[in-house]
């Protein structure tokens, strides 16, 4: 088997039909941006939100529910209890401690690891067949932590990695080269 074949083998067959349930843990700016994108792109038939701050969680859920008039039929639910996540195909984890002024991302590791110890087992308990998508920082380390805590196969725990950095680089290219973003987004230069 060549190196390319080893790197490019199909880990799991692609899902042919969109829909199903997606959970977003953490209703801060990143979590709600994820939730909004999921709704507007018609990715899921059901969206579950989880957060520790009940009042904020309820308000965010209501905002999304009130906006459903303009979108396809999606059920939006929210709770501080992880049972709301049951049966999720994908669980997106955006929750974590905020980075303090002057604090490095690495110093967040222990605080966010402790938070993950309360999140990840509950997600796996209620959705044992889920795929975890980790967005919390520092993302690479916390993806590894989530994989170890979850006991899931490594192909079912994914980190958002350098997606934001790549997006920023593409934006820098567009502004520097003064070219159209549509053209740049269609270029296959990565």
């Amino acid at each position: 088997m060549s190196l390319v074949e080893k790197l490019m083998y199909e880990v799991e067959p692609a899902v042919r039909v969109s829909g199903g349930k997606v959970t977003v843990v953490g209703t801060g700016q990143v979590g709600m941006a994820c939730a909004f994108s999921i709704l507007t792109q018609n990715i899921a038939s059901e969206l579950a939100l989880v957060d520790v701050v009940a009042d904020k969680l309820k308000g965010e859920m209501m905002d999304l529910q009130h906006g459903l008039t303009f979108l396809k039929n999606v059920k939006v639910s929210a709770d501080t209890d992880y049972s709301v996540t049951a049966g999720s195909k994908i669980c997106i984890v955006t929750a974590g401690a905020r980075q303090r002024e002057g604090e490095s991302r690495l110093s967040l590791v222990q605080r966010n690891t402790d938070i993950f110890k309360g999140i990840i087992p509950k997600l796996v308990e209620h959705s044992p067949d889920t795929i975890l998508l980790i967005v919390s920082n520092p993302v690479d380390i916390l993806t590894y932590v989530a994989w170890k805590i979850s006991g899931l196969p490594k192909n079912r725990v994914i980190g958002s990695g350098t997606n934001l950095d790549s997006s920023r680089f593409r934006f820098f290219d567009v502004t520097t080269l003064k070219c159209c973003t549509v053209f740049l987004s269609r270029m296959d230069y990565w």
Side-chain angles (χ1 to χ4, degrees), residues 1-23:
M1 183 181 288
S2 72
L3 179 60
V4 172
E5 290 171 329
K6 288 179 184 176
L7 292 173
M8 301 305 288
Y9 76 96
E10 185 177 51
V11 176
E12 189 141 332
V15 176
R16 302 286 179 220
V17 179
S18 68
K21 186 174 189 176
V22 175
T23 289

Side-chain angles (χ1 to χ4, degrees), residues 117-128:
K117 287 177 182 176
I119 294 172
I120 304 301
K122 293 174 186 174
L123 291 174
V124 174
E125 174 189 346
H126 293 287
S127 300

Side-chain angles (χ1 to χ4, degrees), residues 89-105:
K89 285 186 175 181
I90 298 176
C91 293
I92 304 169
V93 182
T94 68
R98 289 180 182 241
Q99 191 172 1
R100 297 177 182 140
E101 189 174 328
E103 179 181 34
S104 72
R105 288 185 180 213

Side-chain angles (χ1 to χ4, degrees), residues 52-127:
V52 294
V53 183
D55 291 345
K56 177 172 176 37
L57 179 63
K58 182 179 179 183
E60 296 292 2
M61 177 191 69
M62 290 172 63
D63 284 347
L64 292 176
Q65 287 173 334
H66 297 163
L68 288 176
T69 304
F70 308 104
L71 301 170
K72 296 200 178 203
N73 188 23
V74 180
K75 178 183 177 188
V76 178
S77 54
D79 207 318
T80 56
D81 185 334
Y82 283 80
S83 63
V84 74
T85 70
S88 294
K89 285 186 175 181
I90 298 176
C91 293
I92 304 169
V93 182
T94 68
R98 289 180 182 241
Q99 191 172 1
R100 297 177 182 140
E101 189 174 328
E103 179 181 34
S104 72
R105 288 185 180 213
L106 288 177
S107 66
L108 283 175
V109 171
Q110 189 57 56
R111 289 190 296 140
N112 282 340
T113 296
D114 293 341
I115 291 169
F116 269 39
K117 287 177 182 176
I119 294 172
I120 304 301
K122 293 174 186 174
L123 291 174
V124 174
E125 174 189 346
H126 293 287
S127 300

